[in-house]
Amino acid sequence: MKKKKKLMVALGIFIMALFIPLSVYAAPKYAPLKKMPRTSVSMSGVVTEKGYDFITPTYDIPIKMTATSSNPKVAAVKVSNIYDPYMKKYYSGYEVIRKGYGKTTINVKVVLAGKQYKNSCKYTFNKYANPFSSLKIGNANYTKNMKSPALELTKSKLRGKLSFKLKKGYKITNATCLYGSYDTAPGMQYKKIKNNAKLPSNTKSITLYLQNTKTKATFAVQIMEKGFFYELE
């Protein structure tokens, strides 16, 4: 009887050993690189709020990503394999860091549940060029100032009507402004704005998102009052 019980216990442990690895390393429901972009064209040297270029879905098991740039003189790539202790989830992501102008291919590999996934994205970095044939805010004309994508005003304020005209080959995709005060409620707020419309009172910065219709490069330019922070790619 004791031998029979021992045999049953041993058999139960053996069966559990078979099923536990299968449940832990089961094939993921969502392929990690399925939604990774295949192409990216940008106007380099312009305002950016970029973090990761791509992040995988989250998983219950560890995921490991590696990535390389085919042309390190144009761009480098930084990979992060992350465990979130609050969600108790794993995920990976990569950020492309421009080093020059031209083209490169970012080749990405992911190992998840013992299976390898591969994908790639072609990046093109073009130099910035002033897209405006006319740019006015209130009575001030800033057309010639936009040789740089980020303009910090030295004296004047962002007041009055925003009015602009684009050169041929460019289109506006979005426009926002940041207005308000850090010292009074409700604090700083973002608002979508339109061409030839009056800016909200106490506007601190304007960001215009554009696209070069020929190269398909997307980029943004920013105009801000003195002392406001901006980041360039």
Side-chain angles (χ1 to χ4, degrees):
M1 187 69 177
K2 288 182 179 180
K3 288 183 179 180
K4 189 175 180 180
K5 285 184 178 180
K6 287 181 180 180
L7 182 61
M8 291 178 67
V9 170
L11 183 60
I13 293 171
F14 176 73
I15 291 171
M16 288 176 66
L18 286 174
F19 280 97
I20 288 173
L22 289 174
S23 62
V24 173
Y25 296 103
K29 186 176 180 181
Y30 305 105
L33 300 179
K34 185 177 180 180
K35 293 187 177 182
M36 178 179 152
R38 300 307 302 271
T39 58
S40 176
V41 184
S42 65
M43 192 78 75
S44 299
V46 300
V47 177
T48 176
E49 299 175 354
K50 186 177 72 174
Y52 287 103
D53 286 74
F54 173 74
I55 298 177
T56 68
T58 58
Y59 299 97
D60 295 325
I61 57 176
I63 177 173
K64 185 178 181 180
M65 174 186 287
T66 56
T68 58
S69 171
S70 66
N71 193 342
K73 291 183 179 180
V74 172
V77 57
K78 180 182 178 181
V79 169
S80 297
N81 294 299
I82 301 165
Y83 173 69
D84 187 329
Y86 298 99
M87 295 175 60
K88 296 183 179 180
K89 297 284 186 179
Y90 298 86
Y91 62 95
S92 297
Y94 68 83
E95 177 187 0
V96 177
I97 303 163
R98 185 186 66 82
K99 299 293 183 181
Y101 301 103
K103 297 181 179 182
T104 187
T105 300
I106 303 300
N107 297 298
V108 182
K109 294 180 183 179
V110 161
V111 176
L112 178 63
K115 185 177 179 180
Q116 188 178 90
Y117 301 82
K118 295 181 181 180
N119 209 339
S120 62
C121 182
K122 295 181 179 179
Y123 280 78
T124 303
F125 295 97
N126 300 315
K127 289 185 178 181
Y128 170 81
N130 185 353
F132 300 101
S133 59
S134 176
L135 175 63
K136 297 179 180 179
I137 301 173
N139 297 322
N141 190 329
Y142 296 107
T143 309
K144 294 182 180 179
N145 300 80
M146 299 315 297
K147 292 178 181 178
S148 168
L151 175 62
E152 183 179 12
L153 305 183
T154 55
K155 295 181 180 179
S156 56
K157 301 288 184 180
L158 295 175
R159 300 289 182 271
K161 185 172 70 172
L162 169 68
S163 178
F164 61 86
K165 291 181 181 179
L166 298 175
K167 294 178 181 177
K168 185 178 179 180
Y170 293 93
K171 69 176 182 179
I172 189 84
T173 59
N174 196 14
T176 63
C177 70
L178 180 65
Y179 70 100
S181 171
Y182 288 112
D183 302 320
T184 58
M188 302 299 294
Q189 299 180 77
Y190 280 100
K191 181 181 179 179
K192 282 192 173 184
I193 52 177
K194 293 183 178 181
N195 193 12
N196 297 313
K198 187 177 180 181
L199 295 169
S201 61
N202 210 15
T203 293
K204 298 298 183 184
S205 70
I206 298 168
T207 305
L208 303 175
Y209 301 87
L210 304 109
Q211 183 181 52
N212 182 312
T213 56
K214 183 178 180 179
T215 65
K216 305 303 179 184
T218 57
F219 62 103
V221 297
Q222 192 173 67
I223 306 163
M224 68 218 78
E225 291 190 352
K226 188 175 181 179
F228 255 71
F229 171 80
Y230 61 91
E231 182 182 356
L232 293 181
E233 183 181 40

